Amino acid sequence: MKLNLATLGCLAAMAIGTLTFSSCNNAAIEEEAGTDQAVATDSEEGESISSEASNIADGAARGTSIVGRSSAADGGYELLSNCATISHDTTTTPRSLVIDYGATNCMCNDGKNRRGRILVSYTGRYFETGSVKTMTFDNFYRNDKKVEGTRKITNNGLNSSGRMNWTIVATDMRVTRPDGTTHTWNSTRNREMFAGYDTPAMSDDEYQVTGNGSGTNARGINYTAEITTPLHRMMSCRWFDKGIMTLTRNNGSSRTVDFGDGTCDDQATITVTGRRGRTITRTITLN
């Protein structure tokens, strides 16, 4: 068994006495919290990229047969920017939509650089029961991180609460960073619309998201992710503003990520509790 220097140091210190052991335990918790922060950040990045790609596609087709809404009614929040070229074929079955940012980075209105293409096929309107939208990526980069995989969105119609909802399945998703490290994940989510259905703008739409997933983060750590309190999102905000996700690493330890109290900001907190009851809370910045 290989031992790193930090572990050897703690083992040696443990021989000295209980007080030193407590210090080592705290140091171990601090190190584990840092690792969990990386898991949480990667997991959130995956969710952010997936949701963002759908919003881009919806914005590209606004006023057409995917969404059926007018961009003029939408308050100016737009991910596409002027450098995205939209190709829309409504004569095929399923219909197709291509969002092409070009071969070089394009600074978009949300402050992120994008290049490459998002490819969309769909069978009907976004709000049409039974419609299916499938998204893939062609040499697509977001802030110089390559995005790959498939995202499928199925309209389930109205649920028992009378709200429109969608099943979202992310399959073999992968983000490759400039340093060559990768984050992979698969997930199944349910997206339920709470408000904004009866207005033409998307900016007042309100959703909650439930579901689970699994992945391997950029450090090679396997994890599962379960939304234990529904994530809340206003389309006028670029981040989830409420909800809790529980992350469980392959060693069985669980951590929580809290997205806040409803304030629109790019902050969330991760909480880890050590075996001796000490709790550490750290703030992470959402992507």
Side-chain angles (χ1 to χ4, degrees):
M1 180 177 66
K2 294 182 179 180
L3 300 176
N4 59 32
L5 292 178
T7 303
L8 288 171
C10 278
L11 288 174
M14 285 167 59
I16 297 175
T18 304
L19 291 177
T20 308
F21 174 78
S22 178
S23 297
C24 289
N25 182 59
N26 291 344
I29 295 173
E30 287 284 0
E31 182 178 356
E32 191 169 355
T35 301
D36 286 322
Q37 182 173 341
V39 172
T41 301
D42 286 356
S43 178
E44 186 280 325
E45 179 182 59
E47 182 63 34
S48 175
I49 286 174
S50 295
S51 298
E52 189 178 276
S54 287
N55 295 338
I56 289 171
D58 293 344
R62 208 165 298 155
T64 68
S65 52
I66 287 185
V67 179
R69 295 184 171 195
S70 169
S71 59
D74 219 2
Y77 175 53
E78 184 59 79
L79 298 178
L80 292 170
S81 84
N82 294 330
C83 58
T85 301
I86 311 302
S87 302
H88 196 185
D89 186 352
T90 60
T91 64
T92 58
T93 304
R95 300 158 214 172
S96 66
L97 177 70
V98 178
I99 302 106
D100 189 347
Y101 285 95
T104 59
N105 276 338
C106 163
M107 177 61 72
C108 300
N109 293 339
D110 62 345
K112 295 183 177 68
N113 278 308
R114 295 182 178 86
R115 66 182 188 269
R117 304 194 304 167
I118 299 174
L119 312 178
V120 185
S121 68
Y122 66 99
T123 63
R125 294 176 181 268
Y126 179 67
F127 289 101
E128 180 181 322
T129 300
S131 66
V132 178
K133 179 173 70 175
T134 303
M135 306 176 58
T136 56
F137 306 89
D138 178 22
N139 211 30
F140 178 73
Y141 290 78
R142 171 192 187 259
N143 284 343
D144 293 321
K145 299 175 183 178
K146 187 175 184 179
V147 180
E148 301 170 276
T150 302
R151 182 174 166 87
K152 182 179 178 181
I153 303 172
T154 303
N155 185 313
N156 302 318
L158 301 179
N159 60 17
S160 59
S161 300
R163 299 188 180 107
M164 187 72 71
N165 74 106
W166 296 259
T167 296
I168 304 172
V169 179
T171 304
D172 296 332
M173 293 294 295
R174 176 186 297 269
V175 170
T176 303
R177 295 173 176 169
D179 64 3
T181 58
T182 63
H183 169 215
T184 61
W185 74 94
N186 294 272
S187 66
T188 299
R189 303 275 194 256
N190 180 266
R191 189 184 197 196
E192 181 179 357
M193 190 172 195
F194 268 69
Y197 183 83
D198 296 325
T199 66
M202 293 179 69
S203 55
D204 65 351
D205 292 355
E206 183 177 354
Y207 293 92
Q208 77 169 17
V209 178
T210 57
N212 53 62
S214 62
T216 302
N217 84 331
R219 296 187 182 184
I221 297 173
N222 298 322
Y223 68 90
T224 60
E226 181 180 1
I227 299 173
T228 48
T229 300
L231 306 184
H232 179 267
R233 171 81 185 273
M234 293 286 295
M235 290 304 293
S236 58
C237 181
R238 296 178 183 176
W239 306 277
F240 289 114
D241 58 19
K242 284 191 294 188
I244 297 174
M245 181 183 295
T246 299
L247 301 172
T248 304
R249 292 170 51 189
N250 55 353
N251 64 3
S253 60
S254 296
R255 309 295 183 256
T256 61
V257 182
D258 191 333
F259 288 87
D261 59 3
T263 302
C264 179
D265 59 30
D266 63 351
Q267 301 294 294
T269 57
I270 178 171
T271 300
V272 52
T273 301
R275 285 173 296 178
R276 299 174 70 87
R278 184 186 175 206
T279 297
I280 294 177
T281 299
R282 290 188 172 183
T283 299
I284 62 174
T285 299
L286 305 176
N287 288 280

